[in-house]
Amino acid sequence: MTKDKSISHKSCIGQITERTVEIEKRLEGDEELLALLKDLQQFSLGRFLIANGGLDGFWIDYIIQNRCAQNRTTLECFILEKSPTALATRQRYYIFQEQIKRLMQNGSVI
């Protein structure tokens, strides 16, 4: 569970449990996807994805700023390092960063 102060980022355990049950019903019989769902429950980003079905600004920033570390699960490492969403988001971030640098003049403040 994340420990941030934003209401939009908080996911109560009940909500995650409820969403997990709904997803399990849809995936019934697909053991590979059920295993991925179980793996998602092991880390904060995964739990947020289960509860909300996607990313918000906080988690997009998390993906851009974080890389795989020893204490991360295999699935979390994949999401952070190799998933097309993470790679495209990170690439887009750096492209925008370069464009902004070129447009800024000496003494400019953002």
Side-chain angles (χ1 to χ4, degrees), residues 27 30-40 75:
L27 299 178
D30 191 329
E31 296 305 316
E32 187 176 345
L33 290 178
L34 287 168
L36 284 173
L37 178 62
K38 183 178 178 183
D39 289 346
L40 281 171
L75 181 56

Side-chain angles (χ1 to χ4, degrees), residues 41-56:
Q41 295 174 57
Q42 304 305 310
F43 54 97
S44 296
L45 172 57
R47 289 188 292 273
F48 186 86
L49 287 169
I50 291 169
N52 299 284
L55 300 170
D56 64 4

Side-chain angles (χ1 to χ4, degrees), residues 32-86:
E32 187 176 345
L33 290 178
L34 287 168
L36 284 173
L37 178 62
K38 183 178 178 183
D39 289 346
L40 281 171
Q41 295 174 57
Q42 304 305 310
F43 54 97
S44 296
L45 172 57
R47 289 188 292 273
F48 186 86
L49 287 169
I50 291 169
N52 299 284
L55 300 170
D56 64 4
F58 174 86
W59 288 108
I60 290 170
D61 182 62
Y62 180 86
I63 287 173
I64 291 169
Q65 302 299 327
N66 288 278
R67 298 288 198 262
C68 191
Q70 285 182 308
N71 61 340
R72 299 194 195 282
T73 68
T74 302
L75 181 56
E76 187 174 15
C77 284
F78 172 79
I79 291 171
L80 292 174
E81 293 286 335
K82 297 179 182 171
S83 72
T85 300

